[in-house]
Amino acid sequence: MQLDALYAAMKPKGLLPLWESLHALVLPEPRSPARPWRWSYEEVRDYLMRAGDIISAEQAERRVLIMENPGLPGLSAITPSLYAGLQLVLPGEVAPCHRHTQNALRFVMEGSGAFTALDGERAVMQPFDLVLTPGGQRHDHGNQTGQPMIWLDGLDIPIVRLFDASFAERLDVAAHPETVPPGDTLARYGHNMRPMRGRVADRRPAARPLFHYRYADWCPALEGMAASAEIDPHLGHALEFLNPADGGPILSTISAHVRLLPAGFETRSRQSTDGTVFVVVEGEATLLLGEQEMLLGPRDLAVVPSWVPHRFQARPQTILFGYSDKASQLKLDLYREYNH
Ligand code: GTQ
């Protein structure tokens, strides 16, 4: 009673008793408010195409359906730190040029030959390519092909929100003028080499030159590894995408990887503090999280929140793409994993 009176008196002054909430604030282990969730690609695609009938990419600036975690209502977040959405660019459309503090990755789900331009250099996108638009760099998207183009957007919007550090601006033209031919950066930095000297050696930011990781390159690498390497019992055959400048994660806040699970392979259970968004590139797998089971078919998407023990059972050979905030957590000395 006396305490209640004290609390009531303090509250308007912006004061609260820690002892009433200490154990909810300082948890003995992560207990994410985010929920494990699955999105059927076909279902999302249907809604996205319906949006495509009604609103243009230019009108919308970005025509995207946000994949919001049902455990995080109103936050436009798939995990407490990450954002995910599916973006549609129809034939003939341009998503106008802008730049922002937020880091973004694009993982192509469907369509072939549309582009994301980064500071005026086009990355021509094919299914399951990974394309980066690091924070601060101008980017527009365009589709001059005859088919719709759909990709997954992975951004660190909630991280930038946490730090109250967002800046964004539109460019006054819809598309950045082309600065170099498509593939220029890939030729310079995409083959474990880099320019020795010259104007172009520093055209891209030195700390983050590469922004296109092609399925045509990463898939054979993963399959080659699977043909010879001993399999990791918790991950399957797994390769992480790297920044060639420093061997670290692809973005300052986001890490990404691919995995191959041979037909019939079951991973052992693991849990990690980096809640992860998964996409099925090929095959079909069951994702088991305690009592919960999700069947994931081609191009389906799922999220596994922080510290939720989970394992995969592949039916045919299954290839997964995943991204998480591991890059952020490593910098902040927060990352932990436990392999059962
Ligand atoms: O393509 O720049 O899904 O700025 C959300 C914010 C995509 C983009 C999103 C963005 C973009």
Side-chain angles (χ1 to χ4, degrees), residues 62 64 83 85 87 98 100 106 139 141 153 155 157:
R62 294 295 185 264
V64 178
Y83 161 102
Q87 178 158 180
H98 70 189
H100 40 69
R106 329 282 170 187
H139 53 283
H141 314 290
D153 284 325
L155 285 88
I157 290 173

Side-chain angles (χ1 to χ4, degrees), residues 5 34 80 134 169 213 229:
E169 64 183 19
Y213 299 76

Side-chain angles (χ1 to χ4, degrees), residues 39-48 110 298-300:
W39 287 263
S40 146
Y41 179 70
E42 284 312 316
E43 218 170 82
V44 183
R45 184 186 192 281
D46 232 56
Y47 288 113
L48 196 49
E110 176 180 336
R299 294 189 290 194
D300 286 347

Side-chain angles (χ1 to χ4, degrees), residues 205-216:
R208 208 164 297 285
L210 196 59
F211 61 95
H212 193 182
Y213 299 76
R214 293 179 304 187
Y215 173 69

Side-chain angles (χ1 to χ4, degrees), residues 33-173:
R35 284 163 54 186
W37 200 256
R38 165 188 174 272
W39 287 263
S40 146
Y41 179 70
E42 284 312 316
E43 218 170 82
V44 183
R45 184 186 192 281
D46 232 56
Y47 288 113
L48 196 49
M49 295 307 286
R50 279 164 63 182
D53 289 338
I54 305 169
I55 185 164
S56 74
E58 193 123 12
Q59 266 178 307
E61 184 159 346
R62 294 295 185 264
R63 190 201 290 108
V64 178
L65 296 186
I66 298 170
M67 293 159 59
E68 186 179 75
N69 192 299
L72 305 169
L75 293 177
S76 299
I78 192 161
T79 69
S81 63
L82 293 174
Y83 161 102
L86 282 169
Q87 178 158 180
L88 168 66
V89 184
L90 287 168
E93 284 190 328
V94 172
C97 196
H98 70 189
R99 66 171 170 169
H100 40 69
T101 311
Q102 289 79 2
N103 286 294
L105 64 79
R106 329 282 170 187
F107 189 71
V108 180
M109 305 293 288
E110 176 180 336
S112 167
F115 65 85
T116 287
L118 191 59
D119 288 331
E121 180 183 346
R122 290 180 179 185
V124 179
M125 296 155 101
Q126 304 297 337
F128 311 127
D129 281 6
L130 172 66
V131 176
L132 310 180
T133 60
Q137 300 187 28
R138 295 185 174 85
H139 53 283
D140 49 86
H141 314 290
N143 183 357
Q144 298 165 332
T145 76
Q147 317 126 36
M149 195 78 194
I150 298 176
W151 59 77
L152 171 67
D153 284 325
L155 285 88
D156 56 7
I157 290 173
I159 296 177
V160 177
R161 182 167 58 203
L162 172 69
F163 289 113
D164 271 342
S166 177
F167 293 89
E169 64 183 19
R170 283 278 294 267
L171 208 67
D172 37 10
V173 290

